[in-house]
Amino acid sequence: MSNEKTVNTPSVSSLVRIAEDIDFFAGLTDGERGVTRLAYSRLERVAHEHFFNEMTALGLDVTTDAAGNTIAELHPTEHSDLPAIGTGSHLDSVPEGGRFDGIAGVVAAMEVARRVVRDAIPRHRPWRFVVFAAEEGARFGQACNGSRMIAGLTVSRDTSEFVDDSGTSMAEAMRLVGLRPDDLESARWDSKDWFAFLELHIEQGAVLESRGVSIGVVDAISGSTRLSVTVLGQASHTGGTPMHLRRDALVTAAACVTACDALARDPQHRGTRITVGRLSVHPGSITTIPGKVEFTVDIRDVDSQRQRRTAEALGELFGRIAEEGGTSLAIALMGDTSPVVLPEWVARHVIAAANELGLGFLVLPSGASHDSQQINRITPTGMIFVPSRHGLSHVPEEFTTSEQIARGTDVLLGAMIRLDGAR
Ligand code: GLV
Ligand code: MN
Ligand code: MN
């Protein structure tokens, strides 16, 4: 970590543009509370179209691929065959989410593009500005869909396996908004075409804020394993059925939820985070014993072995709990993404850019998932974090000031310029 000395203040026009872009995207929401712009929804497409139009107006070559990723390319100032550098993030949200998760990185990318064009910054490499599709796993269980398709980790046949709450498959949702789930091979990136990638993102934790530091340099990104659990018991009359004759699916599910919490707090699993974020009780009547309960489990870890071991341990624990309760239980895998360690040499360019601007930085891991996780399989990738107020994210209270985003954007631009010149 370095101290913040002679901090360059972001320009007022940059701050204003960033604030306007954030406000614009926040207006594209389906609901009253916070921002709801789900993966592969019409509103997500409208947000991508705005980015598409802004980048086209700046003179960039813009395309949307079969997976729904939008990619804007700025050619080198003089002809060269050097591989590209890129930056970007996502524009979809969780239900009742915030205004900054993903958006901050897209807005920063848009601002970098404007400044590079306006200031005619010389470039040896192609610069690509990318909005990844369907990053949030909240709708289909699997996260980072657009970037997984780019990396070949999700292929066409997988898209009919992922299904949302209403029974719509990912493939159907994609077709409904004009995308091409059967042609995902065409969306893949070739490593030879790339030199490096950077993503700016809000921290979604409180480390930077509590340390009073403007910039986070990410060294590792957590993986996630998501399970869908169905418990079957026997629905019956709440008054007529004595306690010793019950097979209550919710009693089993409740014990499973507390087992998740206890396992993640066990010293052997220190660093693992386990969450039951959705639970539905059937038939959901005050006077009927729950006969069926469905719930999700989200396991996050920076250690891939521990992540998968935890999922197995939970499977065994849940089985025993169900047996004791006279219920039965089935577990399905909803999504699985490995953690990654990001390359240090890319992070060093970010650190050099922060130092040059007199901004303090802290090297830290990411607890959340990011498209960078998948893109790092194609090209060396780095992440820049900016502070999140009170560490809150995936909620309407999520907040980062325009100035904090602008500082991160200055670092992003500086790091892109360094990567452009690196060999
Ligand atoms: C992505 O936002 C995640 O859930 O980590
Ligand atoms: Mn995000
Ligand atoms: Mn998110």
Side-chain angles (χ1 to χ4, degrees), residues 337-374:
T337 299
S338 299
V340 301
V341 175
L342 295 176
E344 205 194 329
W345 72 266
V346 179
R348 270 193 259 116
H349 286 292
V350 175
I351 290 170
N355 276 336
E356 193 172 36
L357 290 160
L359 293 170
F361 68 89
L362 193 68
V363 176
L364 78 177
S366 169
S369 307
H370 297 291
D371 293 307
S372 288
Q373 231 160 320
Q374 330 306 331

Side-chain angles (χ1 to χ4, degrees), residues 203-242:
E203 182 199 335
Q204 307 178 282
V207 177
L208 294 176
E209 182 182 65
S210 65
R211 303 280 284 269
V213 175
S214 303
I215 300 296
V217 181
V218 178
D219 57 358
I221 308 176
S222 292
S224 65
T225 299
R226 297 197 179 130
L227 310 173
S228 164
V229 184
T230 305
V231 186
L232 293 178
Q234 178 60 60
S236 188
H237 199 288
T238 50
T241 319

